[in-house]
Amino acid sequence: MMKRKNVLAGLLTGAMLATVVGCGSGQATEVSDEAVPTAGDLDEAAEEVPTVEPGKKGTIEFWTVFTGADGTSMQAMVDAYNATNPDYTVNHRAMEANDLYLKMPLAIQSGEDVPDVCINHVERVPLFEENGYLEDYTPYLADSEVSAENYNPKAWQMTELDGGHYGIPLDVHSYILYANMDLYEKYGNGVLDDGLLTWDEIKSVGDACVADDIIPIGMSWLRVKFLSSYAQLGGKLSSDGETPDFNNDNALKVLNTWNELYDAGYTHKDGDDPWQLFLAGKMLFCPEGIWMYNDIKEAGLNAKMLDYPVFDTNSVGNWTSSHQFVIPKNDNRDDEKTQAVLDFINFMGNHSLDWAKAGQCPAHVSIKDVAEFQDMPQAFLADENDELKIYDYKYYGYAVESLDVVLGDVLFERMTAQEALDKAVQETKDKIEMGE
């Protein structure tokens, strides 16, 4: 088990080396050492905490990673809860994910200004649980309306750890395929008739697109493109749950497919912004996150959401994460307040339609029966389970940071696939060692 006193050093190291990508954008931004939050930055941010009028018994401090348009939707949901006149009103504070993942452990370790509930990406929960940072929900569920049967089973099960339960899912958010249906009428040649797109089918329509200066497929946010295809092939980031070993034949198959597309001229060029090209009607297919659908609407594009491209139509898989409500450890929080946190979480689940309007796929099963949600393009994901490829490797953050550094070099052939995978695995091992 990682020693708690060294966890922050590992997190800071990961932040300095990371390419940071949020759920609100498929575009990666390189971060220099100077961009890493310092204690002073965190103190300064603390001065900007929004405040609400306390309820009869006080306030629940709620930290989230929703700093974009989704933050506006989340605040509206919090406001709706506070309007019910609860004993504890909720004070919502949104911050960048990297800031939250640094500040939450700091607060827990110091015992000062510990939030009552946070949003964590599901991939972060195993390591935070192992380090003793999270409260086990189990003792509180019996007296709450929050229960497993009310949630997407895949998202719920991912936080069943060491005999306890450490997260309540807000959503499952997936990386899928967008297809420009106007261009498809001209160039698609029926490849979507079965509802799935294979990599071979992309190649089959590629020449006709290129002849008219249409790009067959875009390739941005490469980490999740790799993880989607790799999971379809049964790939894991670690065979034993500890040592990274994703430099294998399945990983090579994914990256070699990218090279075939690039060599044939079927992808965008280095330096292009594929999402903007897609929105401008210059690209036939573009994988992206479901949370980007508002861009489609604003652009007035006739586009459809489908499952991520596959090698084999029998092996469908979309890289997926889940925003989870977690309760940070705090010996000063009493059981009554913890139970109030669960009341708030239950309200959020039962009012998931507003979260769906933000482009997300809520994890609460009640959403599936709402007619307005059923008409939304991401609704098909609510009926998927095995197709949702959620990684549970506790060192996931280190692994994807290492992949971010090399995958662009593979696509644009500045590095071989084997060199890149070996480098990413070694860097993941190094980061694990530095954190222990």
Side-chain angles (χ1 to χ4, degrees):
M1 180 179 292
M2 184 183 293
K3 297 178 181 178
R4 290 193 196 183
K5 64 181 181 180
N6 290 327
V7 171
L8 182 58
L11 290 171
L12 284 167
T13 300
M16 287 188 288
L17 295 175
T19 297
V20 180
V21 184
C23 288
S25 172
Q27 303 304 314
T29 303
E30 292 295 335
V31 178
S32 67
D33 292 2
E34 289 78 12
V36 178
T38 65
D41 295 331
L42 297 175
D43 289 341
E44 182 178 345
E47 297 174 0
E48 302 172 0
V49 177
T51 57
V52 298
E53 192 70 25
K56 294 186 289 291
K57 296 184 178 179
T59 303
I60 291 170
E61 295 297 324
F62 177 37
W63 293 3
T64 79
V65 296
F66 307 127
T67 57
D70 50 5
T72 303
S73 298
M74 177 53 63
Q75 185 60 55
M77 295 170 71
V78 170
D79 291 344
Y81 176 76
N82 288 338
T84 67
N85 194 31
D87 288 343
Y88 294 86
T89 54
V90 175
N91 188 46
H92 173 217
R93 180 184 170 193
M95 64 188 78
E96 296 294 334
N98 272 15
D99 290 355
L100 188 149
Y101 294 138
L102 288 171
K103 185 171 175 60
M104 190 184 84
L106 277 173
I108 294 168
Q109 289 182 323
S110 70
E112 298 180 2
D113 300 319
V114 183
D116 298 301
V117 59
C118 287
I119 291 293
N120 281 187
H121 289 87
V122 68
E123 301 91 354
R124 298 281 181 162
V125 175
L127 192 55
F128 282 151
E129 181 275 326
E130 182 177 293
N131 291 318
Y133 290 152
L134 303 181
E135 195 76 53
D136 180 5
Y137 279 102
T138 306
Y140 305 99
L141 291 175
D143 295 324
S144 169
E145 294 182 23
V146 174
S147 59
E149 60 264 25
N150 291 335
Y151 291 89
N152 176 289
K154 186 74 168 282
W156 181 277
Q157 292 162 9
M158 294 298 292
T159 52
E160 295 279 2
L161 303 165
D162 296 331
H165 193 81
Y166 293 89
I168 307 297
L170 170 65
D171 59 41
V172 288
H173 50 277
S174 299
Y175 204 77
I176 47 79
L177 176 71
Y178 290 94
N180 181 318
M181 299 309 292
D182 291 333
L183 292 178
Y184 178 74
E185 287 297 316
K186 183 174 182 180
Y187 302 103
N189 199 29
V191 296
L192 297 179
D193 285 354
D194 60 356
L196 289 171
L197 181 70
T198 70
W199 295 105
D200 285 340
E201 286 172 337
I202 295 170
K203 297 172 188 176
S204 74
V205 301
D207 287 342
C209 291
V210 171
D212 289 344
D213 293 325
I214 297 297
I215 301 169
I217 189 166
M219 298 291 285
S220 63
W221 205 12
L222 297 178
R223 76 154 69 154
V224 292
K225 285 183 169 59
F226 170 80
L227 294 172
S228 296
S229 293
Y230 185 54
Q232 291 173 6
L233 298 172
K236 295 181 177 295
L237 294 172
S238 171
S239 299
D240 62 7
E242 295 284 340
T243 305
D245 57 2
F246 49 88
N247 50 345
N248 54 47
D249 288 344
N250 283 333
L252 285 171
K253 181 175 181 178
V254 175
L255 298 184
N256 288 336
T257 300
W258 292 5
N259 287 148
E260 291 170 7
L261 292 170
Y262 179 73
D263 288 340
Y266 297 157
T267 68
H268 64 281
K269 299 295 189 293
D270 191 6
D272 289 344
D273 184 332
W275 186 239
Q276 293 305 315
L277 289 168
F278 183 73
L279 293 177
K282 302 295 186 182
M283 183 178 289
L284 176 55
F285 300 119
C286 192
E288 248 298 355
I290 61 171
W291 54 89
M292 301 294 277
Y293 186 69
N294 282 343
D295 284 352
I296 299 290
K297 292 190 291 185
E298 291 173 8
L301 201 64
N302 178 20
K304 184 176 181 179
M305 280 189 196
L306 303 108
D307 287 301
Y308 189 81
V310 299
F311 292 101
D312 181 342
T313 55
N314 294 315
S315 298
V316 181
N318 307 299
W319 171 89
T320 300
S321 185
S322 171
H323 293 116
Q324 299 261 339
F325 294 98
V326 300
I327 301 181
K329 279 277 191 180
N330 183 2
D331 293 337
N332 295 320
R333 185 190 308 111
D334 60 25
D335 289 351
E336 181 183 28
K337 192 171 190 180
T338 301
Q339 207 67 52
V341 170
L342 268 76
D343 291 342
F344 166 63
I345 293 171
N346 186 59
F347 176 92
M348 300 299 270
N350 285 319
H351 294 79
S352 291
L353 182 61
D354 287 332
W355 197 235
K357 291 176 182 177
Q360 302 283 2
C361 184
H364 202 277
V365 296
S366 63
I367 195 71
K368 295 169 65 174
D369 298 325
V370 178
E372 188 174 351
F373 174 70
Q374 291 171 352
D375 289 336
M376 294 181 184
Q378 74 270 33
F380 72 95
L381 293 166
D383 292 320
E384 294 190 343
N385 190 38
D386 291 341
E387 297 89 345
L388 306 180
K389 302 302 184 183
I390 304 176
Y391 283 78
D392 60 358
Y393 182 39
K394 66 181 179 180
Y395 298 123
Y396 174 92
Y398 295 150
V400 295
E401 288 164 5
S402 300
L403 284 165
D404 283 339
V405 174
V406 300
L407 291 179
D409 288 334
V410 176
L411 175 62
F412 299 117
E413 299 184 342
R414 296 185 290 265
M415 182 182 293
T416 69
Q418 189 65 66
E419 289 171 344
L421 291 169
D422 289 344
K423 181 178 180 180
V425 166
Q426 186 58 54
E427 288 191 0
T428 304
K429 290 179 180 177
D430 292 344
K431 291 177 183 180
I432 293 170
E433 185 176 348
M434 290 176 70
E436 291 181 336

